[in-house]
Amino acid sequence: MSKYEAKLHVLFFAELIVFICKGSQSVNLPPWITSVFEPEYYVPAKHPTHFVLQCKAKNGIINYQWFKNNVKLQTNHRVVVSEQSGDITFHNLTKEDFGVYYCVAENKHGSSVSSFVKILEAALPGFSGNAHGNITCKIFHHCKIPCSNQPSCHPINECTYLWNSGEGTKNTVKTNENVIIDSKGDLHFLSINRSYESLNLSCGVWNAILMRFVKGTPYTVKIDDNNDTVTSKAIWKNNPKARIGENATFQCIFSGRCKALILMK
């Protein structure tokens, strides 16, 4: 075999590999779904704008279907399913639309199924109960004010605890080395002094998706002057959980005037 013939053989096999790897995908294989969905989408009930999920695939002429809780969806006055584009569009989304969805892409060689997608409600109801509370704290000691009767806020990673002083929501309690809000929303004064006496302090929750803030029951702080010996002690820790590759925050709080030496193991 001459060098020229050898080069022709090499060129032939190279083109054959390219055909197998690329061309055959569009010739005799089912669709390949290219859309990447989040596992969960949190949407307010009665969503003011359209909510759209787009299912896209490659390989030939493709028809699309959408399923909710394993039932095929048909276009109606609120939900539009496009078999040509793969889009599903919700107009005025309601609680009836929350559930588990997936897309099926089909061509003449078969079909493929997308990953499952949950559409869930972004919610923040009001606090339950409205009785005014009183908290008595020893001066220069640790003082904890609970965030009582708090609502269930979803999704949790879009929810933030805030504390307010006095009427309204303008005077936000600022955290510092002596004032801490733990991961359950409780407010901690690590060494309380008289500047906080007689203040009305209220816990609140902010939902970033809903752009909504709700405020809870106020507590009035009273200071006890019985100043016995104060020692640093652990008063709070959480047990964070996170997916692999994501961030997690470990919170450990100590009380008292003296700063404790904290070692993480």
Side-chain angles (χ1 to χ4, degrees), residues 16 30 34 52 58 101 112 168-169 179 183 194 220:
L16 179 62
T34 58
V52 182
K58 293 182 178 180
Y101 290 77
S112 300
T169 59
V179 182
S183 59
R194 285 205 169 276
T220 299

Side-chain angles (χ1 to χ4, degrees), residues 125-141:
F127 279 74
S128 61
N130 55 7
H132 191 108
N134 294 304
I135 294 287
T136 300
C137 304
K138 289 185 178 181
I139 194 167
F140 304 133
H141 281 245

Side-chain angles (χ1 to χ4, degrees), residues 14-33:
E15 291 178 345
L16 179 62
I17 291 172
V18 170
F19 172 79
I20 293 173
C21 294
K22 291 186 176 180
S24 62
Q25 287 185 0
S26 60
V27 172
N28 57 8
L29 291 179
W32 169 37
I33 294 179

Side-chain angles (χ1 to χ4, degrees), residues 30-75:
W32 169 37
I33 294 179
T34 58
S35 297
V36 178
F37 298 111
E38 296 292 334
E40 299 173 339
Y41 292 89
Y42 281 86
V43 186
K46 298 183 179 179
H47 194 42
T49 59
H50 303 335
F51 179 72
V52 182
L53 291 175
Q54 295 180 319
C55 184
K56 303 299 179 186
K58 293 182 178 180
N59 294 346
I61 299 174
I62 300 171
N63 290 323
Y64 298 91
Q65 301 174 22
W66 276 94
F67 291 78
K68 175 197 171 188
N69 299 334
N70 293 322
V71 177
K72 182 181 176 180
L73 288 171
Q74 304 291 343
T75 294

Side-chain angles (χ1 to χ4, degrees), residues 57-127:
K58 293 182 178 180
N59 294 346
I61 299 174
I62 300 171
N63 290 323
Y64 298 91
Q65 301 174 22
W66 276 94
F67 291 78
K68 175 197 171 188
N69 299 334
N70 293 322
V71 177
K72 182 181 176 180
L73 288 171
Q74 304 291 343
T75 294
N76 58 42
H77 67 287
R78 288 191 311 99
V79 182
V80 178
V81 179
S82 174
E83 295 185 358
Q84 287 72 43
S85 70
D87 294 356
I88 180 171
T89 304
F90 298 88
H91 301 274
N92 191 26
L93 187 144
T94 68
K95 290 181 180 289
E96 297 177 3
D97 299 314
F98 298 132
V100 180
Y101 290 77
Y102 62 89
C103 164
V104 175
E106 184 176 13
N107 64 13
K108 63 182 180 179
H109 301 292
S111 59
S112 300
V113 180
S114 73
S115 58
F116 284 26
V117 178
K118 289 182 180 180
I119 300 180
L120 304 171
E121 182 179 8
L124 178 59
F127 279 74

